Amino acid sequence: MPDPLNQVTIYIGGVHASAQPVIVRTVLGSCISVCLWDRETGIGGMNHFLLPTGDSQGGDPARFGVHAMDRLIGVMMRLGADRHRFVAKVFGGAHVLDIAESTLGVPQRNIAFIREFLEHDRIPVVAEDVGGYQPRDVRFYTATSRVRVRRVGAARAQARLNRAEQRAEGAAPGFGSVELWE
């Protein structure tokens, strides 16, 4: 098992992949996280997205599922993974807001999006824990593909999750450098 000090926490729009053993952590409400793993190389990664699609004008495009998935797949392939060997584990999509539940709500749209995306890309889902009413604390061990999920039920923990999501939404996007060539 990886050294507990070798941990990375991701928030909305976060993507982290590694060829080295690391624990990638996040806390999810209606958001979705996908853990991808290449069985042969042991390269694994996780993302955390807020909505399936949307206008990324004012922030990091990885807040949206389509971009978060492309970014995660791209980072893993740059590390040496092969997308034909990927398996996926999917988490989140809980109905945590105090509003009426709807089939058109964010959690349901997120779940439908990720299932369709993974099916279209022929990435098998080997485990999932989606839906319900409680936030989740997710820990992905990239060396083994093991995932530990803890349901967060206390009101204090829910308030902490809401504050973290609000900070992440308001934070300036972190884009890397860009090199242009002809």
Side-chain angles (χ1 to χ4, degrees), residues 61-182:
R63 294 180 311 161
F64 304 105
V66 67
H67 301 296
M69 288 306 298
D70 287 344
R71 188 175 288 173
L72 178 59
I73 290 168
V75 170
M76 289 180 63
M77 290 175 63
R78 281 192 298 279
L79 291 172
D82 183 334
R83 72 183 299 141
H84 300 295
R85 293 189 301 252
F86 287 170
V87 292
K89 296 181 180 183
V90 180
F91 305 95
H95 184 80
V96 296
L97 298 179
D98 193 20
I99 58 174
E101 195 169 1
S102 157
T103 57
L104 300 176
V106 170
Q108 292 80 7
R109 289 185 4 237
N110 280 341
I111 293 167
F113 162 79
I114 198 57
R115 286 178 173 160
E116 184 179 317
F117 183 98
L118 293 169
E119 182 180 333
H120 179 268
D121 277 25
R122 295 188 175 106
I123 299 173
V125 176
V126 296
E128 75 173 28
D129 183 20
V130 296
Y133 298 93
Q134 290 180 301
R136 293 163 173 86
D137 181 336
V138 180
R139 297 172 189 210
F140 175 48
Y141 297 77
T142 63
T144 62
S145 86
R146 178 178 172 217
V147 178
R148 293 181 65 200
V149 178
R150 183 174 55 92
R151 299 286 175 105
V152 181
R156 224 169 85 203
Q158 177 66 41
R160 192 171 54 240
L161 170 65
N162 290 341
R163 284 192 306 272
E165 286 189 355
Q166 287 171 351
R167 278 193 311 271
E169 287 175 2
F175 298 105
S177 62
V178 175
E179 181 178 331
L180 302 176
W181 72 93
E182 293 181 26

